[in-house]
Amino acid sequence: MSGMQLYPVGIIGTGKYVPERILTNHDLEQMVETNDEWIVSRTGIRERRIAAPEQATSDLAYHAAEAALRASGVAAEDLDLILVATITPDMFFPSTACLVQEKLGAKKAAAFDLSAACSGFIYGLATASNMIATGMYKHVLVIGAECLSRITDYTDRNTCILFGDGAGAVVLGRVPEGRGFKSFELGADGSGGELLNVRGGGSRLPSTKESVDSKAHYLFMAGNDVFKFAVRIMGSAAEEALRKAGMDKSEIDLLVPHQANIRIIQSALNRLDLQEEKSMINLDKYGNMSAASIPVALAEAVEEGRVQEGDKLVLVGFGGGLTWGASVLVW
Ligand code: UT7
């Protein structure tokens, strides 16, 4: 990058959307052999949102995008790029980002999807912020949106208690010197791909009657292995992002972690010597929304007045791939 001027880039608007329908732990007790006490103590989740039958991921993404655009003051027509992080696109193609572009009337914007599972939103921030930093683009909409209910097996108690639907969005743009993104730490370990996946429907195992009967289109997770990976990687990814930013963990004003399991978040807090009030936690209301979890948590933190100008934030997540990502930013 030597010789090239880099512009400081930050988040200039946030928005979220969650569907109206609530699926509680008590509802799940009627569906599988489970109970509220187990779910709350093992995961921290109490309820999650489920998209209406006529809603798909682009619909949730669109509502979150509208809210983020309103907050930023940027018009849809002025967007240069729309980037959607999702593992539950409306369809293989066109991309969900193209569908959102059409709904928003963002005629000038390029559009593409990005696949990094629950780390997708942070991967998307890293991608988009570099495009703005170099001067290629001025305003980029980054969305994390999922309809995980569409790939969840509601007869499998190991997974169906965890996931929910929703969308979060941010508008990225130039910010004053000293503010915005300070670092990114992205990583992947493809050797763990078997631990968390949807096997069917792609070129390896195309959709057939047999693939449907064998439940190959549902999300599979080796929960315990993913849990161990998550506990290790959340702390180390956050620490690496802090190191790159030249910041100490004691400077963190707010941690915005992926909302998979309260015990995973607590282990990250321990590693970073942070009290629970320094972390945004909303998984009790929404469960795990994969790529949507971090942007929804961030949008709620902003709504609740928990983020002030100059605050130092750490975003950190992990997920299928396996993948992980962390970022340090000054609000
Ligand atoms: O963002 C994507 C990444 N995904 C995650 O972050 C998930 C990571 N993993 C986890 O959060 C946890 O592993 C789970 C919440 C999925 C499971 O918690 P765990 O403490 O690892 O439980 P376990 O899988 O070891 O299961 C303990 C027991 C088992 O019974 P036995 O074999 O000990 O008799 C399970 O069959 O709990 C049983 N169990 C349940 N019981 C009641 C599993 N699911 C349920 C359930 N209700 N829903």
Side-chain angles (χ1 to χ4, degrees), residues 34 38 42 118 157-158 221 223-224 258 260-261 263 288 318:
T34 189
W38 191 95
R42 307 303 282 176
C118 309
R157 70 174 185 176
N158 292 299
M221 182 173 71
N224 231 280
H258 177 46
N261 187 317
R263 292 183 290 144
N288 180 346
F318 66 92

Side-chain angles (χ1 to χ4, degrees), residues 241-259:
L242 284 163
R243 192 190 61 74
K244 285 181 178 171
M247 230 180 251
D248 188 77
K249 57 191 178 185
S250 62
E251 294 177 69
I252 300 174
D253 293 300
L254 188 68
L255 182 76
V256 185
H258 177 46
Q259 309 280 315

Side-chain angles (χ1 to χ4, degrees), residues 8-138:
V9 184
I11 294 172
I12 60 172
T14 59
K16 68 148 207 257
Y17 173 80
V18 292
E20 274 170 33
R21 188 181 152 212
I22 295 173
L23 183 70
T24 66
N25 290 351
H26 295 295
D27 295 331
L28 285 161
E29 286 174 356
Q30 313 302 314
M31 298 160 69
V32 288
E33 183 68 42
T34 189
N35 57 79
D36 177 59
E37 199 278 324
W38 191 95
I39 302 174
V40 172
S41 62
R42 307 303 282 176
T43 72
I45 301 166
R46 294 178 185 277
E47 53 189 51
R48 56 299 279 142
R49 300 301 179 102
I50 306 292
E54 68 277 10
Q55 285 181 316
T57 298
S58 69
D59 301 311
L60 314 193
Y62 164 72
H63 290 305
E66 280 231 305
L69 285 169
R70 220 177 304 125
S72 71
V74 174
E77 306 81 66
D78 292 329
L79 286 172
D80 298 303
L81 172 69
I82 298 170
L83 203 171
V84 177
T86 187
I87 50 165
T88 49
D90 286 29
M91 54 189 100
F92 266 140
F93 73 91
S95 68
T96 302
C98 282
L99 302 173
V100 172
Q101 186 232 27
E102 162 65 11
K103 286 184 213 286
L104 288 172
K107 294 200 170 14
K108 212 178 76 173
F112 68 95
D113 287 1
L114 184 156
S115 169
C118 309
S119 315
F121 182 72
I122 292 177
Y123 269 64
L125 291 179
T127 307
S129 70
N130 279 294
M131 289 166 144
I132 297 172
T134 55
M136 177 182 179
Y137 288 143
K138 274 207 169 124

